[in-house]
Amino acid sequence: MASSRAILAMGLLAAVLSPALSKRSFISMPADVSSPVTLANGLSYGYHANSCPQLQDIVWPIVESAVLGEVAIAAGLLRIFFHDCFPQGCDASVLLTGPNSERDLPPNQTLQPRAMQLIEDVRVKVHAACGATVSCADIIALATRDAVFVAGESEMFYFYDLPLGRFDSLEPANSSAVFDLPQSTADADTLINAFKSRNLEPIDLVALSGAHTVGKAHCSSFNNRFSEDADFARRLAANCSSDQNRLQDLDVETPIVLDNQYFKNLMEGKGVFTSDQVLISDGRTDWAVKGLAENKWWFYSQFRDSLVKLSQYQPGGNVGEIRRNSCFAPNGQSIPATAGDEGFAASA
C-alpha cells in the first residue's frame, strides 16, 4: 500500500487528471447525471489547515493499518458513514450511546463496533495533537475516505480531498429519520424516492450501492429471495439452509477489493440483496449499472463524487459541538468505555 509520499503523489496526480476523469470522457450518458457538488454551509477544503495541519497524517496510518489487517473495517466504516449521514446529515449522531440511541434501532443494530472504536481511537490521537478542534463527524468522513483508498485498487482509486468543518450533534436523530434508511428488501421506487429526498440522483444511488463490493451480510437480511426461481437465489438459499446467521459476501467474485465487480455481478443476476438486483431491472438505474460495470474509472470517480455529495447533506444546518471527551457521548455526559459489544456489520 502506498506510503505517505505515494499518497501525496496520487493526490497531485488527481489534481492533474480530474478534468480527464470526468464521466463524460468515458461514456455517453443521459442528461440527469448529478451536477458538481456545492459546498454546504460552514464546510471548506482547508478548514483545519491552521487548527490541525497534521490531521490527515494522523488519521491515515491508523486507518491504513486497520484496513490492511481486516478489510471488513472498510465495509464497517462505509456503513457507519452512510447510516450517519442519511437520516439527518453527517453529524456523528449514529455514534451516540444512551437514551434514544440510533444504535438501538433495527437499521443500526449490526453496525460494526470495531469500526466505531477505530473512530474514537482516531479522535483520541487527533485531540492529543491538536486539542478539541476536529469533530467526530469530520473524523468519520476522513476515516471512510482513507478506508476506501486502502480497500480499492490503489493504482485506480486516487486520493481525493474532502470538505471539512462539520459539528457533532447534541442528540440522536429522530427514529423516523433513521427508519428512512433504505432496507435490503427495497424496490427501485422506494430507493429512488429515498435518495431524492436527500438531494441525491439515481446515479448517486447506483454508485453508492457499489459499497457492497466489500462486506458481508447475515442470511436473515436477504432470506426474502429464497423463494425466487433463479439459480443464484437457490444458491443463496442453499448456502444459508444450515445456518441463518451465516455471513455471505455481498460481492461473490472479489469480496475483499473495492472495485466495480459488484456491477458486473448485477448484470449476471448475482446481486445478494433485492435492493441490489433491482438496480439492473429499472430503466432509471440500469444505464448506470451497465456504465459503471464497463468502466472502472467512472465508478471510482462517481463513487468519490457521490460520497462527497452525501457528506454535504445537512437539512438542519451545520450546528452542534465538537465532542471533547468521547465520540460516544455529548459534552457534559458520562463517557462510555468502548463502542459496545463486538459484532460484524453487513455493508448494507
Side-chain angles (χ1 to χ4, degrees):
M1 186 46 60
S3 66
S4 297
R5 183 175 297 177
I7 295 166
L8 177 59
M10 292 293 281
L12 294 173
L13 178 63
V16 174
L17 294 181
S18 288
L21 294 178
S22 166
K23 45 190 170 287
R24 295 186 187 277
S25 300
F26 294 110
I27 192 168
S28 177
M29 297 177 297
D32 66 346
V33 172
S34 55
S35 58
V37 173
T38 299
L39 292 187
N41 181 43
L43 304 190
S44 68
Y45 285 100
Y47 188 87
H48 297 294
N50 295 321
S51 61
C52 192
Q54 66 270 53
L55 172 61
Q56 301 197 46
D57 290 332
I58 297 171
V59 177
W60 166 258
I62 300 173
V63 175
E64 181 192 33
S65 176
V67 176
L68 287 178
E70 183 186 12
V71 74
I73 294 293
L77 286 169
L78 276 163
R79 192 162 185 250
I80 289 167
F81 174 82
F82 185 80
H83 281 232
D84 182 47
C85 295
F86 203 85
Q88 66 175 19
C90 304
D91 59 4
S93 63
V94 76
L95 299 181
L96 293 173
T97 59
N100 303 314
S101 172
E102 295 172 45
R103 293 162 59 179
D104 294 333
L105 298 174
N108 293 327
Q109 287 174 352
T110 56
L111 291 178
Q112 191 187 103
R114 301 188 302 287
M116 291 186 180
Q117 188 60 47
L118 180 67
I119 294 163
E120 170 62 8
D121 293 344
V122 172
R123 182 202 64 80
V124 170
K125 295 283 189 181
V126 168
H127 286 194
C130 302
T133 59
V134 182
S135 67
C136 297
D138 273 354
I139 289 171
I140 292 174
L142 285 170
T144 302
R145 187 273 309 273
D146 290 359
V148 164
F149 185 86
V150 179
E153 298 174 290
S154 59
E155 75 276 13
M156 299 294 295
F157 219 135
Y158 56 85
F159 212 55
Y160 62 94
D161 204 359
L162 276 174
L164 300 173
R166 299 166 187 81
F167 288 106
D168 298 322
S169 68
L170 303 177
E171 57 188 10
N174 291 330
S175 60
S176 60
V178 175
F179 281 106
D180 283 343
L181 282 161
Q183 300 301 299
S184 60
T185 56
D187 60 21
D189 281 338
T190 301
L191 293 169
I192 290 170
N193 289 335
F195 274 68
K196 184 178 180 180
S197 71
R198 268 65 181 175
N199 301 318
L200 297 167
E201 305 292 338
I203 182 61
D204 300 309
L205 161 62
V206 175
L208 291 172
S209 295
H212 291 176
T213 187
V214 290
K216 300 175 183 284
H218 289 289
C219 292
S220 57
S221 64
F222 54 88
N223 59 12
N224 65 302
R225 301 201 60 199
F226 293 171
S227 60
E228 294 179 16
D229 184 19
D231 288 343
F232 184 70
R234 284 190 288 270
R235 177 176 147 195
L236 291 176
N239 290 343
C240 293
S241 60
S242 61
D243 182 8
Q244 277 288 301
N245 289 318
R246 180 184 185 275
L247 293 172
Q248 168 67 48
D249 289 323
L250 293 174
D251 179 344
V252 298
E253 300 295 339
T254 58
I256 63 171
V257 180
L258 202 157
D259 57 15
N260 69 331
Q261 181 63 45
Y262 162 83
F263 302 103
K264 299 176 185 178
N265 295 344
L266 297 189
M267 294 179 68
E268 296 174 359
K270 296 179 181 178
V272 173
F273 293 148
T274 298
S275 60
D276 293 324
Q277 200 57 50
V278 296
L279 299 176
I280 192 60
S281 58
D282 189 281
R284 294 165 292 182
T285 53
D286 65 343
W287 61 272
V289 172
K290 294 171 184 175
L292 297 177
E294 293 169 0
N295 193 310
K296 61 183 179 181
W297 276 109
W298 181 19
F299 165 57
Y300 290 128
S301 177
Q302 186 62 55
F303 190 67
R304 172 205 66 202
D305 291 348
S306 295
L307 280 174
V308 174
K309 188 175 179 181
L310 175 58
S311 79
Q312 308 301 297
Y313 178 61
Q314 45 175 240
N318 187 23
V319 296
E321 64 184 5
I322 295 176
R323 294 179 198 151
R324 297 187 303 270
N325 304 309
S326 171
C327 284
F328 308 131
N331 296 334
Q333 291 192 13
S334 59
I335 305 170
T338 65
D341 294 334
E342 187 62 18
F344 197 103
S347 178

